[in-house]
Short mmCIF file of all heavy atoms in Angstrom, two decimals:
data_model
loop_
_atom_site.label_atom_id
_atom_site.label_comp_id
_atom_site.label_asym_id
_atom_site.label_seq_id
_atom_site.Cartn_x
_atom_site.Cartn_y
_atom_site.Cartn_z
N THR A 77 -2.70 -17.04 -16.34
CA THR A 77 -1.92 -17.63 -15.20
C THR A 77 -1.69 -19.06 -15.48
O THR A 77 -0.46 -19.51 -15.30
CB THR A 77 -2.55 -17.46 -13.94
OG1 THR A 77 -3.03 -16.17 -13.69
CG2 THR A 77 -1.62 -17.79 -12.68
N LEU A 78 -2.64 -19.83 -15.78
CA LEU A 78 -2.42 -21.24 -16.11
C LEU A 78 -1.44 -21.37 -17.32
O LEU A 78 -0.49 -22.28 -17.33
CB LEU A 78 -3.80 -21.93 -16.48
CG LEU A 78 -3.76 -23.43 -16.80
CD1 LEU A 78 -3.12 -24.21 -15.71
CD2 LEU A 78 -5.04 -23.89 -17.14
N SER A 79 -1.72 -20.65 -18.34
CA SER A 79 -0.78 -20.78 -19.50
C SER A 79 0.62 -20.45 -19.19
O SER A 79 1.66 -21.12 -19.62
CB SER A 79 -1.26 -19.78 -20.54
OG SER A 79 -0.34 -19.81 -21.71
N ASN A 80 0.87 -19.41 -18.37
CA ASN A 80 2.17 -19.05 -17.88
C ASN A 80 2.85 -20.09 -17.14
O ASN A 80 4.06 -20.42 -17.30
CB ASN A 80 2.16 -17.77 -17.06
CG ASN A 80 1.91 -16.46 -17.91
OD1 ASN A 80 1.88 -16.59 -19.09
ND2 ASN A 80 1.58 -15.42 -17.18
N THR A 81 2.05 -20.69 -16.26
CA THR A 81 2.55 -21.75 -15.34
C THR A 81 3.02 -22.98 -16.19
O THR A 81 4.12 -23.55 -15.92
CB THR A 81 1.55 -22.17 -14.30
OG1 THR A 81 1.12 -20.97 -13.63
CG2 THR A 81 2.06 -23.22 -13.34
N LYS A 82 2.18 -23.39 -17.05
CA LYS A 82 2.64 -24.48 -17.95
C LYS A 82 3.85 -24.21 -18.81
O LYS A 82 4.73 -24.98 -19.05
CB LYS A 82 1.47 -24.92 -18.83
CG LYS A 82 0.29 -25.59 -18.07
CD LYS A 82 -0.82 -25.86 -19.00
CE LYS A 82 -1.92 -26.70 -18.27
NZ LYS A 82 -3.02 -27.01 -19.10
N ALA A 83 3.91 -22.90 -19.30
CA ALA A 83 5.10 -22.45 -20.08
C ALA A 83 6.39 -22.49 -19.19
O ALA A 83 7.42 -22.85 -19.75
CB ALA A 83 4.86 -21.12 -20.60
N PHE A 84 6.27 -22.06 -17.90
CA PHE A 84 7.41 -22.10 -17.09
C PHE A 84 8.01 -23.52 -16.98
O PHE A 84 9.18 -23.71 -17.13
CB PHE A 84 6.96 -21.61 -15.66
CG PHE A 84 6.78 -20.15 -15.54
CD1 PHE A 84 5.80 -19.57 -14.67
CD2 PHE A 84 7.63 -19.17 -16.12
CE1 PHE A 84 5.51 -18.40 -14.52
CE2 PHE A 84 7.42 -17.83 -16.00
CZ PHE A 84 6.38 -17.48 -15.20
N LEU A 85 7.11 -24.50 -16.73
CA LEU A 85 7.55 -25.81 -16.60
C LEU A 85 8.14 -26.37 -17.90
O LEU A 85 9.02 -27.17 -17.90
CB LEU A 85 6.36 -26.68 -16.14
CG LEU A 85 5.87 -26.38 -14.75
CD1 LEU A 85 4.46 -27.14 -14.55
CD2 LEU A 85 6.96 -26.75 -13.72
N ALA A 86 7.61 -25.97 -18.98
CA ALA A 86 8.06 -26.49 -20.35
C ALA A 86 9.38 -25.90 -20.76
O ALA A 86 10.17 -26.55 -21.44
CB ALA A 86 6.96 -26.26 -21.41
N GLU A 87 9.56 -24.57 -20.33
CA GLU A 87 10.67 -23.85 -20.99
C GLU A 87 11.94 -23.64 -20.00
O GLU A 87 12.95 -23.21 -20.39
CB GLU A 87 10.17 -22.42 -21.38
CG GLU A 87 9.04 -22.52 -22.46
CD GLU A 87 8.39 -21.14 -22.60
OE1 GLU A 87 8.80 -20.17 -21.96
OE2 GLU A 87 7.40 -21.11 -23.41
N ASN A 88 11.70 -23.92 -18.72
CA ASN A 88 12.69 -23.49 -17.68
C ASN A 88 12.96 -24.66 -16.71
O ASN A 88 12.06 -25.56 -16.51
CB ASN A 88 12.29 -22.26 -17.02
CG ASN A 88 12.14 -21.09 -17.90
OD1 ASN A 88 12.99 -20.47 -18.18
ND2 ASN A 88 10.80 -20.94 -18.22
N ASP A 89 14.17 -24.64 -16.03
CA ASP A 89 14.35 -25.49 -14.96
C ASP A 89 13.93 -24.79 -13.70
O ASP A 89 14.67 -24.27 -12.96
CB ASP A 89 15.86 -25.88 -14.94
CG ASP A 89 16.27 -26.95 -13.80
OD1 ASP A 89 15.28 -27.50 -13.33
OD2 ASP A 89 17.31 -27.01 -13.49
N VAL A 90 12.68 -24.79 -13.43
CA VAL A 90 12.08 -24.12 -12.31
C VAL A 90 12.35 -24.71 -10.95
O VAL A 90 12.13 -25.97 -10.80
CB VAL A 90 10.55 -24.02 -12.61
CG1 VAL A 90 9.92 -23.28 -11.31
CG2 VAL A 90 10.23 -23.28 -13.79
N PHE A 91 12.81 -23.85 -10.02
CA PHE A 91 12.95 -24.36 -8.62
C PHE A 91 11.76 -24.17 -7.84
O PHE A 91 11.42 -25.07 -7.02
CB PHE A 91 14.19 -23.57 -8.00
CG PHE A 91 14.60 -23.92 -6.66
CD1 PHE A 91 15.62 -24.77 -6.44
CD2 PHE A 91 13.85 -23.44 -5.48
CE1 PHE A 91 16.00 -25.21 -5.16
CE2 PHE A 91 14.24 -23.91 -4.19
CZ PHE A 91 15.31 -24.73 -4.08
N ALA A 92 11.02 -23.07 -8.07
CA ALA A 92 9.79 -22.80 -7.30
C ALA A 92 8.94 -21.71 -7.99
O ALA A 92 9.52 -20.86 -8.74
CB ALA A 92 10.13 -22.23 -5.84
N PHE A 93 7.68 -21.71 -7.69
CA PHE A 93 6.81 -20.68 -8.14
C PHE A 93 6.77 -19.66 -7.04
O PHE A 93 6.68 -19.98 -5.85
CB PHE A 93 5.34 -21.18 -8.44
CG PHE A 93 5.36 -22.26 -9.45
CD1 PHE A 93 5.28 -23.68 -9.13
CD2 PHE A 93 5.48 -22.05 -10.75
CE1 PHE A 93 5.23 -24.65 -10.06
CE2 PHE A 93 5.55 -23.01 -11.77
CZ PHE A 93 5.25 -24.28 -11.43
N PHE A 94 6.58 -18.39 -7.42
CA PHE A 94 6.88 -17.38 -6.35
C PHE A 94 6.11 -16.08 -6.70
O PHE A 94 5.95 -15.66 -7.86
CB PHE A 94 8.41 -17.00 -6.41
CG PHE A 94 8.85 -15.92 -5.48
CD1 PHE A 94 8.89 -16.20 -4.08
CD2 PHE A 94 9.31 -14.74 -5.86
CE1 PHE A 94 9.29 -15.27 -3.07
CE2 PHE A 94 9.70 -13.69 -5.01
CZ PHE A 94 9.72 -13.96 -3.64
N ASN A 95 5.48 -15.51 -5.67
CA ASN A 95 4.81 -14.15 -5.80
C ASN A 95 3.73 -14.08 -6.82
O ASN A 95 3.54 -13.12 -7.48
CB ASN A 95 5.91 -13.12 -6.08
CG ASN A 95 6.44 -12.59 -4.77
OD1 ASN A 95 6.13 -13.09 -3.65
ND2 ASN A 95 7.34 -11.48 -4.86
N TYR A 96 2.92 -15.14 -6.93
CA TYR A 96 1.75 -15.07 -7.76
C TYR A 96 0.81 -14.09 -7.12
O TYR A 96 0.78 -14.03 -5.92
CB TYR A 96 1.02 -16.44 -7.91
CG TYR A 96 1.71 -17.32 -9.02
CD1 TYR A 96 3.04 -17.49 -9.12
CD2 TYR A 96 0.82 -17.99 -9.81
CE1 TYR A 96 3.54 -18.34 -10.17
CE2 TYR A 96 1.27 -18.89 -10.87
CZ TYR A 96 2.71 -19.02 -11.02
OH TYR A 96 3.18 -19.73 -12.04
#
Side-chain angles (χ1 to χ4, degrees):
T77 310
L78 178 58
S79 177
N80 289 348
T81 304
K82 290 181 176 179
F84 286 142
L85 292 170
E87 300 166 4
N88 304 275
D89 185 15
V90 174
F91 185 93
F93 302 103
F94 181 70
N95 273 6
Y96 277 44

